[in-house]
Amino acid sequence: MTPLGAPGTLDERPQPTPGLGLGVQLLYGLGALASAAKTVPISLFLMLYWNQIVGLSAFMVSAIVMVSLVFDAVFDPLVGAWSDRLRSRLGRRLPLMYAAIVPMSVLFIMLWTPPRFTPFGIEIYLAVILLALRLFDTLFELPHLALVPELTRDYDERTRLLTIRSLFEAIGGIGISALAYNYFLREHPDGSGGVLSGDGYPSFGLFTGAVIVICLLISTVGLHRRISGLKTITPQPKPASLFGHMRRSFGSPGFKRLALAAMLIALGSGMGSALGLYWLLYFYRFTQAEISLLFVPAMIGLAATALTPVIVRRIGKRRAAVAMLWFYLAITSLPLLARLTEMVPERGTLLFLLVGLQSAVGAGTMAMVLIALSSMNADLVEEAELRTGYRSEGLMVSANTFVRKASQGLGTLAAGLVLTFAEFPTGADRSEVPGDVLTRMGWLYLAVTFGLALGSTLILRGGSFERVDHLRRLERLN
């Protein structure tokens, strides 16, 4: 097969795409809102619900999540390659996206409505639901993310589109979490209810499932004409050579560096999300009313996400990701360090202000890190095209979807291990957890988090992720 860029193959090259209008960007972002409405509750409540309410051990929940993650590692690139090769009158991406919407919503509802099974039966139930949910999540999310390099080849416009996606994710995640704390899982004046009670989770799951299906349908139907009309399909490898194509695409030094660094960052972020309620409820001893107030600074901090394209234009995607990562760690570690060293009193005003600062800075800066990493990954589409002769957006961004779910999977696994090594009790009341358990848990978490950040920073020092590298690749393709 003649490689792309060779004489006589102009008709096979991806053609320049027109600028994306506001309507397209908003419809694209709406799909990300539904994604966050699904992902954020899993990150926040999955470990707490299945460990403290259903009664599974933290290690068992972590192990089940890890099994689903191994499944993802195999399934994601296969779906990516499938979406690249798919031929239909709806285009490459739409059939998979439409097929995933309703099953994904139903499975999310089932995650929060476990039946009355034996202990072994309930473990199997959780494993099956998580595996199926991840499968259908991949069928939608991977084609949806693959649209970014397919809709635009511009270095900065990709960052802008991913910033829109991140802002909608923030709206969906914070909005659904605020509803959970203040309505579905609210704590009543008599002390009943709350996140440590199982009563509100079924209705919360049902409402969120409805939000997911409605937003995904509006987004997909709204984008239908734009997506099905894309004329960027290039020749694809024959099935017999597909795995060789995957090996060559994933074999570049830049891809390996980015995938490993993103995995470490996602692991730390996911671990922090999974343990977030443990810190707020057991370590800081906040009430749910106080916890619900923390969504206000988080919303304010997320507004800073809109600055990501500006920062990227000035210093580049790699430097932006590293700088925001360390700024995130410096600020978000303050309240934990302050309590571990007893520099501030328990449940005092100063502690609440520090946690509020953590909420504001943490929400925005980690979103900016993930935007920069996703935009770097989108730019690797052209690198893979030069290496293989094929344009494979779905295959390349399968690494992105895997990393996103790794923030739930590996993060939840790491959180479970931290709880296990700290000997955190199952079904514990807020006042019953010994102080030495919380201290071990805090120092272990900080050590792991900073180790992961250091490793990802060193890994990202190499690789061709700058604007000049992207322009050189486009020049060679043209």
Side-chain angles (χ1 to χ4, degrees), residues 72 75-76 79 134-143 405:
D72 269 336
F75 190 70
D76 279 22
V79 171
R134 290 192 182 283
L135 187 154
F136 285 102
D137 177 64
T138 297
L139 286 178
F140 184 90
E141 285 295 303
L142 198 151
K405 287 178 285 190

Side-chain angles (χ1 to χ4, degrees), residues 218-339:
I218 294 174
S219 175
T220 307
V221 171
L223 289 171
H224 187 118
R225 180 176 297 180
R226 178 68 184 247
I227 298 173
S228 60
L230 287 173
K231 303 298 183 183
T232 60
I233 297 177
T234 59
Q236 294 294 311
K238 296 178 180 179
S241 61
L242 183 58
F243 287 102
H245 170 58
M246 289 183 183
R247 186 173 61 252
R248 291 193 301 274
S249 298
F250 293 154
S252 73
F255 177 83
K256 291 177 180 178
R257 285 181 178 275
L258 181 60
L260 182 56
M263 183 68 68
L264 296 181
I265 292 171
L267 198 161
S269 174
M271 179 175 61
S273 295
L275 291 176
L277 278 176
Y278 285 83
W279 303 128
L280 295 172
L281 292 171
Y282 297 101
F283 197 76
Y284 302 138
R285 304 275 180 94
F286 290 159
T287 65
Q288 272 198 219
E290 291 172 322
I291 293 172
S292 66
L293 292 176
L294 295 174
F295 288 107
V296 176
M299 285 295 292
I300 295 172
L302 280 165
T305 305
L307 297 174
T308 309
V310 178
I311 297 173
V312 165
R313 277 200 305 271
R314 295 181 71 89
I315 65 175
K317 297 177 182 179
R318 175 174 53 188
R319 292 185 183 91
V322 172
M324 289 299 101
L325 173 63
W326 284 100
F327 186 62
Y328 164 84
L329 288 173
I331 300 300
T332 56
S333 301
L334 283 178
L336 197 54
L337 283 169
R339 281 300 302 132

Side-chain angles (χ1 to χ4, degrees), residues 141-206:
E141 285 295 303
L142 198 151
H144 191 256
L145 271 170
L147 290 174
V148 174
E150 195 169 0
L151 285 168
T152 177
R153 301 177 72 186
D154 184 83
Y155 183 84
D156 293 312
E157 192 168 30
R158 286 174 174 175
T159 304
R160 287 194 294 271
L161 187 57
L162 286 164
T163 300
I164 291 288
R165 176 185 171 89
S166 180
L167 287 170
F168 271 87
E169 284 181 329
I171 293 170
I174 290 183
I176 207 71
S177 300
L179 281 171
Y181 283 117
N182 294 288
Y183 183 74
F184 293 104
L185 308 178
R186 69 186 181 277
E187 193 171 50
H188 302 296
D190 62 359
S192 62
V195 295
L196 292 176
S197 169
D199 296 339
Y201 283 95
S203 56
F204 170 66
L206 183 63

Side-chain angles (χ1 to χ4, degrees), residues 49 51 62 65 94 122 129 184 192 222 249 264 269 294 395 411 448:
Y49 177 75
N51 173 225
S62 301
V65 170
L94 280 171
I122 205 66
I129 295 300
F184 293 104
S192 62
S249 298
L264 296 181
S269 174
L294 295 174
L395 179 60
V448 173

Side-chain angles (χ1 to χ4, degrees), residues 62-117:
S62 301
I64 291 172
V65 170
M66 187 61 191
V67 169
S68 68
L69 185 61
V70 171
F71 175 83
D72 269 336
V74 177
F75 190 70
D76 279 22
L78 294 178
V79 171
W82 182 21
S83 74
D84 288 330
R85 299 171 58 84
L86 189 62
R87 299 291 185 269
S88 77
R89 61 186 181 86
L90 298 180
R92 297 190 287 176
R93 317 295 178 190
L94 280 171
L96 300 180
M97 293 167 66
Y98 277 125
I101 293 174
V102 173
M104 189 177 1
S105 177
V106 172
L107 288 163
F108 181 87
I109 295 170
M110 294 175 68
L111 189 62
W112 310 104
T113 53
R116 295 183 179 276
F117 285 163

